[in-house]
Amino acid sequence: MTRFRLTPLVGLLFGVAIAGAAHADVLLIERVEAARSMDLPQRGESMATVERRYGEPSLRHAAVGGDHPQRPPITRWDYPNFSVYFERDRVVNAVLRRSAAEEAGPKPVR
């Protein structure tokens, strides 16, 4: 008799877990779609072009690397909504910053 009472409860818990996971997936998809529609710097653009289009960055991080030909200097500029990574003076990537303070993400490098 206990088996029959637990089955609906297990089904309900499973349904709630699936609904929660589906909700998180939708949020992730919405965030990816927002990133695609944003006007971000494109790979290969120069630092001068990025600064002309987007203005002065909020923060310019010092270059890291550059001590060996196979480790070129990498620089990061932070804007309010995104960060731009440069190899020497060319964009290699632009990424959205966290959307909220409670959003989990990588820990800062120290």
Side-chain angles (χ1 to χ4, degrees):
M1 189 86 165
T2 305
R3 179 176 173 209
F4 295 109
R5 289 183 189 158
L6 289 179
T7 303
L9 179 60
V10 170
L12 177 64
L13 291 175
F14 182 73
V16 168
I18 294 291
H23 179 68
D25 289 344
V26 170
L27 292 177
L28 177 60
I29 290 168
E30 289 172 356
R31 183 143 162 79
V32 169
E33 288 173 355
R36 287 185 186 151
S37 66
M38 270 189 82
D39 177 32
L40 295 173
Q42 299 298 306
R43 179 172 284 167
E45 289 183 9
S46 70
M47 285 180 166
T49 301
V50 172
E51 192 166 9
R52 237 186 343 269
R53 280 180 60 197
Y54 301 96
E56 180 72 21
S58 305
L59 181 61
R60 293 177 193 243
H61 296 268
V64 295
D67 56 339
H68 189 275
Q70 292 183 348
R71 289 186 293 273
I74 303 294
T75 306
R76 185 177 96 202
W77 288 2
D78 290 335
Y79 287 89
N81 296 324
F82 61 91
S83 294
V84 185
Y85 294 85
F86 298 92
E87 182 178 304
R88 295 185 175 82
D89 72 330
R90 297 292 170 171
V91 174
V92 291
N93 203 2
V95 295
L96 288 180
R97 298 186 53 139
R98 294 187 307 178
S99 62
E102 63 274 357
E103 182 177 306
K107 300 209 183 293
V109 176
R110 300 201 192 257

